[in-house]
Amino acid sequence: MRKNVINYILSLLILMSACSIDITPTDRYTEEVIWDSENSIDLYVNGLYTEFRTFEFGRFPIGYDNATDGLTDIMKYTSQASGNGTVNILASDASRYTASTPGITYWASAYTRIRRINEFIYGLQNYSNTSEEQKLAFEAEARFIRGYVYFWLARINGSFVIIDDLEGHTSLTNDRSSEDECYNFIAEDFAFAAQHLPETRLASATGRATKGAALSLLARTWLYAASIAEFDRNQYNNDPKTGIPNEKAKTYYENAIVAAEAVVALANQGVYDLESNFAEIFTKSNNKESIFRIDYVTQFITHQYDFGFVPPGDAPGQAMVYGVPTAELVDAFEMADGSKFNWANGMHAANPYENRESRFYATILYNGATWKGRTLNTTDGGGEDGFVQIGTISEPRKTVTGYYAKKLLDPGNTSFIQNRSTQSWHEIRYAEVLLILSEAQILSEKLTEGRTTLNILRNKRGLPNVTANTREQLFEAIQHERMVELAFEGHRYWDLRRWRLAHVKLNNIRFTGHKINNLGSGYMYEKVVCDTRDREFIGQMYYLPIPLAEIQRNTAITQIQGW
């Protein structure tokens, strides 16, 4: 199987090296080497999947892993310098977001990829001699990827230009569609993909889309659309094309439920399941919880997640320690019995890292934790892994909160400096589908069903049932569960945005860590700020601007109001 995977990746690398070939319509699509060979078509599709690497490990939009989590209350980037500290600049200065320099933008890259995908679909439909069934399967993969690209534009800009053919792209005369139309278009792509993709793939085709992957992203799409309809209500932007009518929220929640329940049906058939060992989900690629992921192979396709996030004692003087968990995240993990952790509780405060839920130990590296054969010392003055007060050093490359991020690290990788890393990135997993389903059920007033779905996940994580009963209480429970279950998987920033809570949770506030002092007879935990400036998120930022250069290129596009 390993040989098949390597051959598959080598084929992909060969295709990627040839990406400079610009296939244009009518005069080059008849080249036999492309369209008369199913193998060549297959390689073309493989090449389209490289777009997912733009977003692996939460790297978008700044090029650093966990970048968007670093904009939130769950992670603090350590650097104060330009470059490594760009996340902190964007998190604390709303004036950095302008039409000239949007701060977060995917527009140009997205439409470059969309053009490639539309070229592929056009050539497939007009010049390929493969069977109709195979054409549909190839088109389904292309539209799965296109739906994903457009989904990112919807996350950032809300309203975008819909282009589903070659003529629409080259004419540059299209204005933005409404946000509602945009989400419906994305849903159409994922629905088509779900209809024509297989339920499972051979091991040699790991990383290719499946029915379950398309259904999962369809459920995610409808949940986002429902969230905009539920919570935006045109409070933050008067642009006529942004926002979704509030009366559509219930329908879109129902759509999310239908898609998510179809994934649950696949799980009931044995295709997916929740894993008992939470930590192994992120270090063991072949697990039932993974629905769509990117795999890596040593020496061929690798990443540098460990280099960026291991405690510095793993590679003294070399590890970067880009970001570390905040106290806000650490304190959110429950006790093993499901009760809330509370520093005001004397027993909790005396031993804050004992008797916590299993996800805490899989997600957080704390003072006294065992890691790669050593006991971590994250105290003030604790040596290689010790605490540094934020602002005292421009590039500390140590924890500024008293914690390190464990989740997604490979505990067995001791050669990441030389050989980089190969643990998988999971774009979507079964736990998220259950959270989508639960949220959609709760917010569409199916409270009993939503609570039951949420408890399935909690019970698998070793936690008791939630006791919440009302819509408001259960929605708070969902927010909490997503925060801890999906930490460092690139969801927190976008969740707070779609719930229209970012301007509440991420504005006019400084997040914290714990400065731990070793008293000899025990430890003293001092709460300290880990931001040097207040965070800033204003309502205008829910719809980020289209880059000015794109407005100048296509005069038919109207800028999002307010920018």
Side-chain angles (χ1 to χ4, degrees):
M1 184 178 77
R2 178 176 174 82
K3 181 178 179 182
N4 288 337
V5 172
I6 291 174
N7 287 338
Y8 171 81
I9 293 174
L10 283 172
S11 299
L12 175 57
L13 288 172
I14 291 169
L15 177 70
M16 290 169 62
S17 68
C19 280
S20 61
I21 300 174
D22 188 9
I23 304 169
T24 55
T26 70
D27 62 338
R28 298 185 189 178
Y29 272 113
T30 55
E31 293 177 1
E32 292 183 2
V33 69
I34 297 171
W35 299 113
D36 283 354
S37 167
E38 192 167 297
N39 183 61
S40 295
I41 298 172
D42 195 61
L43 286 174
Y44 196 136
V45 173
N46 285 345
L48 297 178
Y49 278 95
T50 60
E51 196 66 18
F52 288 97
R53 296 210 62 186
T54 301
F55 305 96
E56 63 188 358
F57 293 95
R59 179 175 301 160
F60 182 83
I62 303 166
Y64 291 86
D65 296 330
N66 283 330
T68 51
D69 278 347
L71 296 173
T72 76
D73 51 354
I74 69 172
M75 173 165 279
K76 171 63 182 178
Y77 255 57
T78 63
S79 174
Q80 301 300 299
S82 179
N84 293 343
T86 298
V87 173
N88 287 327
I89 294 170
L90 291 175
S92 60
D93 188 356
S95 70
R96 298 281 178 161
Y97 297 85
T98 68
S100 298
T101 56
I104 296 176
T105 183
Y106 178 49
W107 195 276
S109 298
Y111 282 104
T112 296
R113 181 58 63 184
I114 288 164
R115 176 178 175 82
R116 296 291 188 200
I117 294 169
N118 288 341
E119 285 176 345
F120 172 80
I121 295 173
Y122 181 90
L124 180 71
Q125 293 173 341
N126 290 277
Y127 301 109
S128 171
N129 293 321
T130 191
S131 69
E132 289 303 313
E133 181 181 5
Q134 188 58 61
K135 282 183 182 180
L136 288 172
F138 280 136
E139 183 179 349
E141 286 189 88
R143 291 182 65 173
F144 174 83
I145 301 165
R146 188 175 70 182
Y148 182 78
V149 172
Y150 273 127
F151 180 76
W152 272 99
L153 287 176
R155 269 179 163 178
I156 299 165
N157 306 109
S159 167
F160 53 76
V161 180
I162 294 176
I163 301 169
D164 61 353
D165 57 42
L166 293 179
E167 292 301 319
H169 186 94
T170 56
S171 64
L172 290 176
T173 57
N174 299 321
D175 194 7
R176 294 180 286 121
S177 294
S178 72
E179 188 168 11
D180 191 20
E181 291 170 329
C182 289
Y183 274 105
N184 275 273
F185 180 81
I186 295 165
E188 287 176 9
D189 268 354
F190 286 137
F192 180 91
Q195 182 180 355
H196 298 289
L197 287 171
E199 290 185 1
T200 59
R201 296 273 189 182
L202 297 175
S204 59
T206 296
R208 299 283 285 266
T210 61
K211 178 184 290 291
L215 287 168
S216 298
L217 293 186
L218 178 61
R220 184 194 280 177
T221 298
W222 283 126
L223 183 68
Y224 268 69
S227 297
I228 304 304
E230 169 103 11
F231 301 110
D232 183 73
R233 304 189 182 213
N234 298 110
Q235 299 173 83
Y236 311 100
N237 197 299
N238 292 323
D239 190 292
K241 293 182 180 294
T242 61
I244 296 175
N246 178 253
E247 61 269 18
K248 293 193 175 184
K250 183 172 177 58
T251 297
Y252 292 169
Y253 284 131
E254 292 288 349
N255 291 349
I257 290 170
V258 170
E261 285 182 337
V263 181
V264 172
L266 291 172
N268 291 337
Q269 296 170 23
V271 179
Y272 307 116
D273 199 359
L274 294 172
E275 292 288 335
S276 298
N277 189 321
F278 184 72
E280 284 190 355
I281 297 168
F282 310 99
T283 58
K284 178 184 173 184
S285 295
N286 187 20
N287 66 76
K288 282 293 187 73
E289 197 155 320
S290 181
I291 293 178
F292 185 75
R293 69 179 187 267
I294 300 174
D295 284 344
Y296 306 84
V297 176
T298 304
Q299 298 179 1
F300 296 103
I301 296 181
T302 58
H303 58 82
Q304 289 190 288
Y305 188 85
D306 293 273
F307 173 70
F309 290 89
V310 293
D314 283 23
Q318 298 181 81
M320 296 302 296
V321 194
Y322 291 131
V324 291
T326 62
E328 283 73 17
L329 174 63
V330 171
D331 294 350
F333 287 95
E334 298 170 34
M335 302 301 291
D337 63 2
S339 61
K340 291 184 177 181
F341 173 83
N342 189 348
W343 283 99
N345 182 311
M347 294 183 65
H348 292 183
N351 297 289
Y353 312 130
E354 291 186 5
N355 300 316
R356 303 292 287 272
E357 63 164 292
S358 61
R359 291 178 296 193
F360 171 83
Y361 299 106
T363 306
I364 307 296
L365 287 171
Y366 52 90
N367 186 56
T370 300
W371 176 250
K372 293 185 178 179
R374 70 183 189 277
T375 299
L376 290 182
N377 183 350
T378 69
T379 64
D380 185 26
E384 288 287 352
D385 299 316
F387 171 87
V388 172
Q389 181 63 52
I390 192 72
T392 59
I393 303 175
S394 177
E395 290 278 5
R397 296 191 181 184
K398 289 187 175 184
T399 182
V400 296
T401 64
Y403 306 100
Y404 293 97
K406 180 180 182 181
K407 186 180 182 180
L408 305 179
L409 293 179
D410 181 355
N413 188 350
T414 57
S415 62
F416 56 85
I417 297 296
Q418 299 81 17
N419 299 320
R420 297 165 62 98
S421 302
T422 57
Q423 63 268 37
S424 297
W425 164 251
H426 302 268
E427 172 59 37
I428 193 163
R429 54 191 180 87
Y430 188 52
E432 184 192 343
V433 174
L434 291 180
L435 288 169
I436 290 170
L437 177 58
S438 179
E439 182 178 341
Q441 289 169 329
I442 290 166
L443 294 182
S444 61
E445 303 292 349
K446 297 180 178 180
L447 303 186
T448 301
E449 293 93 329
R451 183 171 51 245
T452 299
T453 302
L454 181 58
N455 287 333
I456 289 171
L457 175 60
R458 285 178 58 82
N459 294 166
K460 194 67 175 186
R461 302 302 184 225
L463 292 168
N465 292 345
V466 295
T467 57
N469 291 308
T470 68
R471 186 179 191 267
E472 292 73 21
Q473 291 171 341
L474 285 166
F475 182 45
E476 287 183 7
I478 278 289
Q479 292 175 50
H480 165 82
E481 210 67 34
R482 287 186 68 94
M483 180 181 183
V484 296
E485 173 73 27
L486 303 176
F488 311 145
E489 296 181 59
H491 291 280
R492 181 63 174 169
Y493 182 70
W494 307 106
D495 280 346
L496 292 176
R497 285 171 60 96
R498 69 181 175 86
W499 291 326
R500 296 304 189 250
L501 289 174
H503 71 288
V504 176
K505 300 279 190 179
L506 307 179
N507 191 53
N508 197 30
I509 190 172
R510 299 188 187 195
F511 296 118
T512 63
H514 292 120
K515 179 181 177 181
I516 307 170
N517 295 293
N518 190 341
L519 303 178
S521 59
Y523 296 100
M524 181 178 71
Y525 303 88
E526 178 186 356
K527 189 175 182 177
V528 294
V529 296
C530 61
D531 284 322
T532 57
R533 295 180 56 180
D534 287 354
R535 298 290 182 107
E536 278 191 356
F537 189 104
I538 57 177
Q540 181 183 10
M541 292 166 58
Y542 285 121
Y543 294 104
L544 293 174
I546 300 167
L548 183 60
E550 299 301 320
I551 299 292
Q552 293 170 338
R553 287 182 66 243
N554 181 359
T555 56
I557 301 178
T558 55
Q559 180 61 275
I560 295 171
Q561 281 191 18
W563 298 101

